[in-house]
Amino acid sequence: MSLTMKPFHLVINGKKVSTDHSFEVLNPANEKVAGHAPLAGKIHLDDAVQAAMAAFKTWREVPESERQAACLEIASKIEENAEEFAHILTAEQGKPLNGLGSRWEIGGAMAWTQYTASLSLSMKVLQDNDEGRVELHRKPIGVVGSITPWNFPVMIAIWHIIPAVLSGNTVVSKPSPFTPLSTLRLVELMNEVLPKGVVNCITGKDELGAAMTVHEGIGKIVFTGSCATGQKIMANSAETMKRLTLELGGNDAGIVLPDVDPKQIAEGLFWGAFINSGQTCAALKRLYVHDDVYDSVCDELVDLAGQMKVGEGVNEDVVLGPIQNRKQYDIVDDLVQSAKSKGRVLLGGDPKEMQKEMGGKGYFYPLTIIADLENGDALVDEEQFGPVLPIIRYHQINEAIEKANDNPNGLGGSVWSQNIGEAKKIANRMECGSVWINKHGMIQPNAPFGGVKRSGFGVEFAEEGLEEYTDIQVVFS
Ligand code: NAD
């Protein structure tokens, strides 16, 4: 059955729930309807929160080992249904089935679930002597509201839901209106494993997310998305004092030192910047290159980018897909057009030519590399979130570090050098939550990940990420 015909339902209290209205989900590769998602209203949100509150009473008492086993079973469900997931994801998100696309995302979701299932939050004894015993306990918060973006819909839903349920919370998940179908299917499968009400999924427009942030029954919001929405969520959550994890936008800088071999680092730089067509929070979004290797790094990158096949994700030889939606396409194009008069276009930059190549359909944007830009140019200062890389020349390392830090965001960064010791010293001076050396954006489930400055607060992954779904209770005896 094609996705357009397949009925998708909300998942509330373990049941599939139909709604009176639905909304269209477009395939960004051809602008045709990929499927229809149910349009939830306030009543569905209330029902989902109610179900999650009821389920919390028992789920929190379930032994941790049983919750771990349930998460492992979810990982198996994802594995068994991986191909179906990959096709839904490619249809609604646009990313290719192959390369670092849908199959890779589903594999990552499974691996993340398995690893997270191995984590444990044990009680810590802070003191045990003649004056008394002090124990630190981690208690689940209650109902967690998960709000996700459209770039990695399945992986990010897993990043939110699995640690929440593992630590004894229950969840109301609300995916992006651009990519709701894969999350609806994911939560449907989770409900084959979990007791009713532990994970619920509602889909609708942005107002539904806003309603979650003021809902009395929700104790925490975990949000991945733009800085602007993160700020609204923070303001809206104040009234009910919700706990927050905010994973927001990034404008990651990479600094290339003069001792690199440009040919050797080109592939790492390329995929660091262009993974998921640049629609990745921790992608390389500004590249600072030392004068000594500037021209050869530019040449190698252009050469490599020219070999990449962009197209409809269902074609098995495609490695990069379109931009996910029209609004993002326009943001990317405005930034590129404004940069053309400031810098030197080395590759791409002309979306009309690309449109012609693609038969006039889909939000395809040419892989674009623009050199000789500077801080102060919009394409350098703002997050492009698309397949475009600005390159900036530098002469002194202090100048490069200062420019890399001169940005309100602080998600990730990278240093490229043969001298690891020197690279680590530079990493230490970068204002961001993660720094990679000779690679970029390689997040992993055993290392905490989060932003500093306006890229948000709180971390995901590892034990530190799990702790974010708990409140501390200290028991003195
Ligand atoms: P977005 O902020 O527009 O939307 C994200 C989600 O928030 C959607 O589900 C949307 O419906 C919901 N939403 C919108 N308004 C809301 C409101 N007022 N209250 C509550 N929820 C609301 O972001 P997007 O365009 O989907 O994603 C792109 C952005 O996400 C980029 O800036 C990117 O850097 C960032 N991002 C960050 C990370 C990270 O881990 N730091 C990961 C992926 C994406």
Side-chain angles (χ1 to χ4, degrees), residues 316-330:
E316 300 275 349
D317 59 340
V318 161
V319 294
L320 288 167
I323 292 178
Q324 204 281 329
N325 58 73
R326 168 65 62 188
K327 187 174 158 222
Q328 190 60 37
Y329 181 100
D330 290 342

Side-chain angles (χ1 to χ4, degrees), residues 4-239:
T4 343
M5 307 298 289
K6 191 176 155 47
F8 284 88
H9 302 94
L10 307 178
V11 185
I12 300 176
N13 207 23
K15 293 197 196 80
K16 292 184 189 176
V17 174
S18 303
T19 54
D20 293 341
H21 302 284
S22 61
F23 60 97
E24 287 181 345
V25 178
L26 292 186
N27 180 334
N30 54 28
E31 298 171 65
K32 290 191 184 141
V33 176
H36 292 87
L39 185 67
K42 176 77 169 65
I43 179 118
H44 301 105
L45 169 60
D46 287 342
D47 287 352
V49 174
Q50 208 59 49
M53 284 168 77
F56 179 59
K57 289 188 188 138
T58 42
W59 184 245
R60 66 179 304 168
E61 303 302 336
V62 169
E64 189 184 59
S65 59
E66 280 179 38
R67 295 200 297 253
Q68 288 171 325
C71 291
L72 283 179
E73 227 181 297
I74 289 170
S76 304
K77 290 268 173 199
I78 298 172
E79 189 172 22
E80 283 158 24
N81 295 277
E83 258 318 275
E84 182 201 347
F85 270 123
H87 280 87
I88 299 177
L89 193 51
T90 291
E92 68 175 355
Q93 207 285 335
K95 63 182 66 188
L97 287 171
N98 282 329
L100 300 174
S102 296
R103 289 181 179 130
W104 180 78
E105 178 171 343
I106 302 306
M110 193 180 63
W112 237 277
T113 305
Q114 281 168 336
Y115 179 82
T116 309
S118 73
L119 296 173
S120 170
L121 287 178
S122 43
M123 181 267 289
K124 285 192 183 120
V125 178
L126 304 181
Q127 178 189 312
D128 194 11
N129 58 21
D130 293 347
E131 283 159 31
R133 181 176 163 96
V134 183
E135 295 173 355
L136 186 151
H137 295 256
R138 291 265 168 195
K139 319 273 278 189
I141 295 166
V143 179
V144 171
S146 153
I147 303 177
T148 49
W150 45 257
N151 57 345
F152 287 91
V154 177
M155 189 103 97
I156 296 177
I158 287 291
W159 290 350
H160 291 185
I161 296 171
I162 296 299
V165 297
L166 183 72
S167 48
N169 300 278
T170 55
V171 177
V172 175
S173 152
K174 191 212 80 68
S176 165
F178 291 110
T179 52
L181 305 178
S182 49
T183 310
L184 285 167
R185 182 72 184 117
L186 178 68
V187 174
E188 227 176 79
L189 278 182
M190 286 179 172
N191 274 268
E192 291 178 11
V193 174
L194 298 167
K196 65 178 186 178
V198 172
V199 181
N200 307 273
C201 186
I202 51 174
T203 51
K205 300 295 173 129
D206 293 350
E207 311 83 75
L208 191 63
M212 288 168 74
T213 63
V214 292
H215 203 289
E216 289 280 349
I218 294 181
K220 175 190 170 93
I221 296 280
V222 51
F223 170 75
T224 304
S226 64
C227 294
T229 305
Q231 285 166 336
K232 286 186 202 155
I233 290 177
M234 202 172 162
N236 284 345
S237 301
E239 180 91 8

